[in-house]
Coordinates of all heavy atoms in Angstrom, one line a residue:
Y31 N -31.2 -13.4 79.3 CA -32.2 -12.5 79.8 C -31.6 -11.2 80.3 O -31.0 -11.2 81.4 CB -32.9 -13.3 80.9 CG -34.2 -12.5 81.3 CD1 -35.3 -12.5 80.5 CD2 -34.3 -11.9 82.6 CE1 -36.5 -11.8 80.8 CE2 -35.5 -11.2 82.9 CZ -36.5 -11.2 82.1 OH -37.7 -10.5 82.4
N35 N -34.2 -5.9 85.0 CA -34.6 -4.6 85.6 C -36.0 -4.2 85.3 O -36.5 -3.2 85.7 CB -33.6 -3.5 85.1 CG -33.6 -3.4 83.6 OD1 -34.0 -4.4 82.9 ND2 -33.2 -2.3 83.1
S36 N -36.7 -5.1 84.5 CA -38.1 -4.9 84.2 C -39.0 -5.9 85.0 O -40.0 -5.7 85.6 CB -38.4 -5.0 82.7 OG -38.6 -3.8 82.2
A86 N -30.6 0.5 105.3 CA -31.6 1.1 106.3 C -31.8 0.3 107.5 O -31.3 -0.9 107.5 CB -33.0 1.3 105.6
K87 N -32.4 0.8 108.5 CA -32.7 0.0 109.7 C -33.9 -0.9 109.4 O -34.8 -0.5 108.7 CB -32.9 0.9 110.9 CG -31.8 1.7 111.3 CD -32.1 2.6 112.5 CE -31.1 3.7 112.7 NZ -31.3 4.8 111.6
I105 N -46.0 11.4 99.3 CA -46.0 12.8 98.8 C -47.0 13.6 99.7 O -46.7 14.6 100.2 CB -46.4 12.9 97.3 CG1 -45.2 12.3 96.5 CG2 -46.6 14.3 96.9 CD1 -45.6 12.1 95.0
P116 N -45.0 25.8 98.9 CA -46.0 25.5 97.8 C -45.5 24.5 96.8 O -46.3 23.9 96.0 CB -46.3 26.8 97.1 CG -45.0 27.6 97.3 CD -44.4 27.2 98.6
D128 N -44.4 8.4 88.3 CA -44.0 9.3 89.4 C -44.6 10.7 89.1 O -45.1 11.4 90.1 CB -42.5 9.4 89.5 CG -41.9 8.0 89.8 OD1 -42.2 7.0 89.1 OD2 -41.1 7.9 90.8
F175 N -28.4 9.9 90.3 CA -28.2 11.1 91.2 C -27.3 10.6 92.4 O -27.4 9.5 92.8 CB -29.5 11.6 91.8 CG -30.3 12.5 90.8 CD1 -31.4 12.1 90.2 CD2 -29.8 13.8 90.5 CE1 -32.2 12.9 89.4 CE2 -30.5 14.6 89.6 CZ -31.7 14.2 89.1
P203 N -25.3 0.0 94.8 CA -25.1 0.2 96.3 C -25.9 1.3 96.8 O -26.0 2.4 96.3 CB -23.6 0.6 96.4 CG -23.0 0.2 95.1 CD -24.0 0.3 94.1
G216 N -39.6 1.8 96.4 CA -38.9 1.0 95.5 C -39.7 -0.2 95.0 O -40.8 -0.5 95.6
V263 N -56.5 6.0 114.6 CA -55.2 6.2 115.4 C -54.1 5.5 114.6 O -54.2 4.3 114.5 CB -55.3 5.6 116.8 CG1 -54.0 6.0 117.6 CG2 -56.5 6.1 117.6
V304 N -20.4 -3.3 87.2 CA -19.6 -2.4 86.4 C -18.8 -3.1 85.3 O -18.7 -2.7 84.2 CB -18.6 -1.7 87.4 CG1 -17.5 -0.9 86.7 CG2 -19.4 -0.8 88.4
A312 N -17.9 -2.1 75.5 CA -16.7 -2.3 74.6 C -17.1 -3.1 73.4 O -16.7 -2.8 72.2 CB -15.6 -2.9 75.4
F338 N -29.0 2.0 74.5 CA -28.5 2.5 73.2 C -29.6 3.2 72.5 O -30.7 2.8 72.6 CB -27.9 1.3 72.4 CG -26.8 0.6 73.1 CD1 -27.1 -0.5 73.9 CD2 -25.5 1.0 72.9 CE1 -26.1 -1.2 74.5 CE2 -24.5 0.3 73.5 CZ -24.7 -0.8 74.3
D358 N -35.2 -4.6 76.5 CA -36.5 -4.0 76.2 C -36.3 -2.6 75.5 O -35.3 -2.0 75.5 CB -37.5 -3.9 77.3 CG -37.1 -3.4 78.6 OD1 -36.1 -2.7 78.6 OD2 -37.7 -3.7 79.6
D363 N -36.8 5.7 71.0 CA -35.7 5.1 70.2 C -34.6 4.5 71.0 O -33.5 4.5 70.7 CB -35.1 6.2 69.3 CG -34.6 7.4 70.1 OD1 -34.7 7.4 71.4 OD2 -34.1 8.4 69.5
G368 N -30.8 -4.8 80.9 CA -30.6 -4.9 82.4 C -29.4 -5.8 82.6 O -29.4 -6.9 82.1
P371 N -26.1 -8.8 88.0 CA -24.9 -9.6 88.3 C -25.1 -10.9 89.1 O -24.3 -11.7 89.1 CB -24.0 -8.6 89.0 CG -24.8 -7.4 89.2 CD -26.1 -7.5 88.6
L372 N -26.3 -11.0 89.7 CA -26.6 -12.1 90.5 C -26.7 -13.4 89.6 O -26.4 -14.5 90.0 CB -27.9 -11.9 91.3 CG -28.1 -12.6 92.6 CD1 -26.9 -12.4 93.6 CD2 -29.4 -12.0 93.3
Q381 N -22.3 -13.3 74.2 CA -23.2 -13.9 73.2 C -24.3 -12.9 72.8 O -24.7 -12.9 71.6 CB -23.9 -15.2 73.9 CG -23.0 -16.3 74.2 CD -22.5 -17.1 73.0 OE1 -22.8 -16.8 71.9 NE2 -21.6 -18.1 73.3

Side-chain angles (χ1 to χ4, degrees):
Y31 193 68
N35 58 336
S36 254
K87 296 179 197 72
I105 293 169
D128 297 52
F175 280 110
V263 182
V304 170
F338 300 91
D358 53 21
D363 57 0
L372 208 50
Q381 297 288 359

